[in-house]
Amino acid sequence: MEASVWQQLQEAGRYMLNNGLAWGNAGNISARTKDDHYLITASGTDLGELGEDDFVECSLSQGVWASVEGKKPSKEVPMHQAIYESRTDVGAVLHASPFFSTMLACSAENLPSEWFVETMYYLERIERVPYFHPGSHELGEAVREKACKANVLFLENHGVLVYDKNVKEARMAMHTLEMACKMYVMAKSSGISLRTLPEAVVQSFLNESGYRPRRRFSE
C-alpha cells in the first residue's frame, strides 16, 4: 500500500468531516495509486477517523481486493470504478452528502458556475445522475454515462460525486460545491439575485488563467 496515497485520503476525510462536507460513516473516497489500481475506503468506515487499515486496494482490470484486515471495500465501488475507467486524467474521487449540496441534488434546481473564480474553475461542468440504489450496478453505469461530460455530479436524492486530477483538487471542488450551494439557497430564500459573469468572460478565464490545462469534456 502506498503510504502517501492513503495519508492524502486520510487527511481528506478529516478535512471533509471538520468542514461539514461529510457526517458519520456516510460517504466514501478513493485515489488512484497507479494506472490500474486505486485505494478506496472500506465499508462502514468513518471518514474523520481513517487509519491505514481502513482502505482496500482495487484493480480495474482484475476486480480483486486486498486489505490489511481483510475488509470489504465500500459498496459504492461501481461508481468509483466507472470514473477511473472512463477518465484516465482523474486521480481521486470523493462521494459524500453535504447538507446544501444534497439539498440541491434532491431538487430540480440548477447551480450556476459563472459566479466567481472558484466556481468557474472547480464547478465548470455539473451533470445530474438519476436515482439508483447506492452500490448498484445501475448507479455505476449511470455515473459512467456522465463521467466524461462533467467534473461534478449531482446524484439525485442521494448526494454528490466530485473527481479531479488529485485528492487536493477534488477536496477543494467538494468544498467549493457546498459553499456555492449554500450561497444559492440563502440568496434564493433572502430574495437576493446573484449576477453571473458573461460567457465570454468565463471562457477567457478558463482558457487563459493558466491554473492548469483546460479540461476536455464530451458533449
Side-chain angles (χ1 to χ4, degrees):
M1 183 180 295
E2 297 187 17
S4 61
V5 176
W6 78 258
Q7 286 171 348
Q8 288 174 44
L9 288 170
Q10 180 187 51
E11 182 181 342
R14 188 181 302 117
Y15 180 94
M16 289 168 65
L17 191 71
N18 291 342
N19 288 278
L21 306 177
W23 44 275
N25 62 2
N28 35 81
I29 58 180
S30 68
R32 200 188 294 268
T33 56
K34 50 189 175 181
D35 289 346
D36 187 55
H37 291 76
Y38 62 96
L39 292 181
I40 188 169
T41 43
S43 179
T45 51
D46 186 326
L47 293 185
E49 300 178 353
L50 296 172
E52 185 176 0
D53 61 348
D54 288 321
F55 296 95
V56 179
E57 185 172 11
C58 302
S59 167
L60 294 176
S61 61
Q62 300 176 37
V64 296
W65 324 113
S67 72
V68 175
E69 300 293 335
K71 294 183 178 180
K72 294 181 179 179
S74 166
K75 67 179 179 181
E76 298 284 25
V77 159
M79 64 181 184
H80 287 255
Q81 183 118 346
I83 295 292
Y84 290 122
E85 289 177 344
S86 304
R87 297 284 299 271
T88 58
D89 59 316
V90 166
V93 179
L94 309 181
H95 166 52
S97 304
F99 184 85
F100 289 96
S101 301
T102 304
M103 183 185 295
L104 263 67
C106 293
S107 74
E109 302 290 331
N110 292 315
L111 181 70
S113 63
E114 306 91 350
W115 280 342
F116 52 91
V117 168
E118 285 76 15
T119 57
M120 287 189 291
Y121 179 74
Y122 287 108
L123 311 181
E124 184 179 355
R125 290 277 189 94
I126 300 174
E127 289 278 339
R128 285 184 168 273
V129 174
Y131 178 83
F132 293 99
H133 294 324
S136 66
H137 171 75
E138 290 80 6
L139 177 58
E141 290 309 300
V143 166
R144 186 186 305 276
E145 184 179 335
K146 297 295 180 70
C148 294
K149 298 180 179 181
N151 57 301
V152 174
L153 300 179
F154 278 137
L155 307 177
E156 295 185 343
N157 300 92
H158 183 169
V160 296
L161 192 68
V162 301
Y163 40 99
D164 215 312
K165 63 181 182 178
N166 56 43
V167 174
K168 184 178 179 180
E169 290 290 281
R171 185 185 72 184
M172 187 61 186
M174 177 73 79
H175 206 165
T176 302
L177 176 64
E178 178 67 356
M179 179 180 177
C181 289
K182 184 176 182 179
M183 284 179 58
Y184 182 90
V185 171
M186 294 185 72
K188 192 165 186 178
S189 64
S190 302
I192 297 174
S193 179
L194 300 179
R195 292 180 297 184
T196 58
L197 291 166
E199 179 64 17
V201 173
V202 174
Q203 293 304 316
S204 174
F205 171 78
L206 293 173
N207 290 316
E208 301 165 15
S209 64
Y211 287 125
R212 65 184 281 176
R214 180 75 188 272
R215 295 182 182 91
R216 301 300 175 189
F217 300 106
S218 63
E219 296 303 324

